[in-house]
Amino acid sequence: GFECIHCSTEKNPFQIFPSSSRRLHGTLRCLHDHMVLRCNKCPSTITATLLEKEKMQTSQYTHLKPTAQAEFLDHIWKRLLDAKNIPKHSISLTVEEPMASGKSLSAEHSETNQPEKEVKKHFTKRRYVRKLVKIGDKELVTEYVFYLMSQMRPCYESSDSSRGGFECIHCCNEEEKFQVFPTSVRRLGGYLRHIHHHLAKDCRKAPKELLETLLSLEKLHISQYARSKPYGQSEFFERIWERLQC
């Protein structure tokens, strides 16, 4: 996998372990959000440069050859595979060394760097709530599984921890909240019954109509699963797992 060069020596460094080259593209937003919002070791000059580059991303992307970004990510994937036999910190994912100095990638935009104190005024590193499931995930699983997981949201084991999990959106502000911290993608599917039991029996904040919807969708689950996309549920949980690592 790969980790942030700025917080790699911290107790809980930012790390991502993609399961395939296709999954690398989905980590770009995670990397951006980590640098801008959460990494306390990332220099503010890099944050400023990153935000400036983001403004130019759309126009620059239209001028790239159609397969350029896919090829770039394929190269990175191959380097990750090769890294298994190379000592830690002795390789770079990109051809050039990462910009630890915070300078602009291209000389013509170097003047866009802002003073560090000005950047800190606008950007504060913080934890924030993201969605655990997205509308595009719906085609991969049954309505029951999608509805069940949509009642959860990402969370962290502690305020300074990078270990991700998920919690109930209804009782997340309570003293005794429902939280799960899976240790691998293979464990995710095993929590469906626990989530169902929590919503149906234990959660005092869950609306009554939620249980009715849950039970009606559960009756359709087997028949819908038989018609669902092969390996769809596995892909669904892989997507969730990657979001938990961000």
Side-chain angles (χ1 to χ4, degrees):
F2 51 87
E3 62 187 6
C4 173
I5 63 174
H6 307 290
C7 61
S8 59
T9 58
E10 297 297 298
K11 183 179 180 181
N12 296 301
F14 174 79
Q15 296 178 324
I16 291 181
F17 298 93
S19 56
S20 69
S21 60
R22 292 186 306 164
R23 302 293 184 187
L24 279 172
H25 182 271
T27 65
L28 295 179
R29 176 51 56 180
C30 298
L31 295 174
H32 176 278
D33 290 346
H34 168 72
M35 296 290 187
V36 174
L37 298 172
R38 300 212 299 271
C39 185
N40 294 320
K41 296 295 182 178
C42 181
S44 295
T45 50
I46 289 184
T47 301
T49 301
L50 185 63
L51 293 170
E52 189 65 31
K53 296 296 182 185
E54 185 183 26
K55 296 177 183 177
M56 301 183 288
Q57 200 264 348
T58 302
S59 60
Q60 290 180 346
Y61 186 81
T62 59
H63 293 94
L64 292 175
K65 71 175 185 178
T67 59
Q69 185 163 297
E71 290 177 14
F72 171 75
L73 296 175
D74 280 341
H75 288 320
I76 288 182
W77 177 250
K78 290 176 182 177
R79 288 170 195 144
L80 291 177
L81 296 180
D82 292 339
K84 291 180 179 180
N85 301 317
I86 301 177
K88 189 177 182 182
H89 301 311
S90 64
I91 63 169
S92 173
L93 285 182
T94 52
V95 176
E96 299 177 349
E97 285 299 311
M99 295 182 352
S101 64
K103 293 182 179 180
S104 177
L105 285 170
S106 53
E108 65 269 24
H109 296 297
S110 60
E111 70 275 6
T112 61
N113 290 337
Q114 302 175 36
E116 184 172 345
K117 61 181 180 180
E118 182 181 345
V119 174
K120 285 185 176 180
K121 193 184 301 181
H122 299 289
F123 305 103
T124 304
K125 311 296 180 181
R126 60 182 175 85
R127 293 291 190 186
Y128 66 106
V129 177
R130 309 181 311 280
K131 287 187 176 181
L132 188 63
V133 295
K134 299 181 180 180
I135 193 66
D137 304 330
K138 202 168 185 178
E139 62 182 22
L140 299 173
V141 291
T142 66
E143 292 181 80
Y144 169 72
V145 173
F146 184 83
Y147 187 73
L148 204 59
M149 294 307 298
S150 67
Q151 306 307 310
M152 301 291 120
R153 73 175 191 177
C155 67
Y156 291 90
E157 197 169 25
S158 62
S159 59
D160 60 347
S161 173
S162 63
R163 186 186 178 193
F166 53 85
E167 62 186 3
C168 175
I169 63 175
H170 305 289
C171 61
C172 58
N173 294 320
E174 299 298 303
E175 186 175 345
E176 294 184 3
K177 62 187 73 174
F178 176 81
Q179 293 182 320
V180 173
F181 296 95
T183 55
S184 71
V185 63
R186 292 185 301 170
R187 303 286 186 186
L188 279 171
Y191 289 109
L192 292 177
R193 181 49 53 184
H194 295 284
I195 297 172
H196 179 106
H197 185 274
H198 167 73
L199 293 171
K201 306 274 187 185
D202 299 334
C203 187
R204 297 178 180 178
K205 295 293 183 177
K208 292 182 179 180
E209 57 269 22
L210 182 147
L211 179 57
E212 296 175 3
T213 303
L214 195 62
L215 293 175
S216 63
L217 292 177
E218 186 182 26
K219 295 176 182 178
L220 303 172
H221 173 65
I222 295 178
S223 60
Q224 288 183 348
Y225 183 79
R227 301 192 303 271
S228 62
K229 175 183 176 183
Y231 306 108
Q233 185 159 298
S234 296
E235 185 176 344
F236 174 75
F237 286 123
E238 283 181 5
R239 290 183 183 183
I240 288 180
W241 176 252
E242 287 176 5
R243 288 167 195 154
L244 293 181
Q245 307 314 302
C246 299

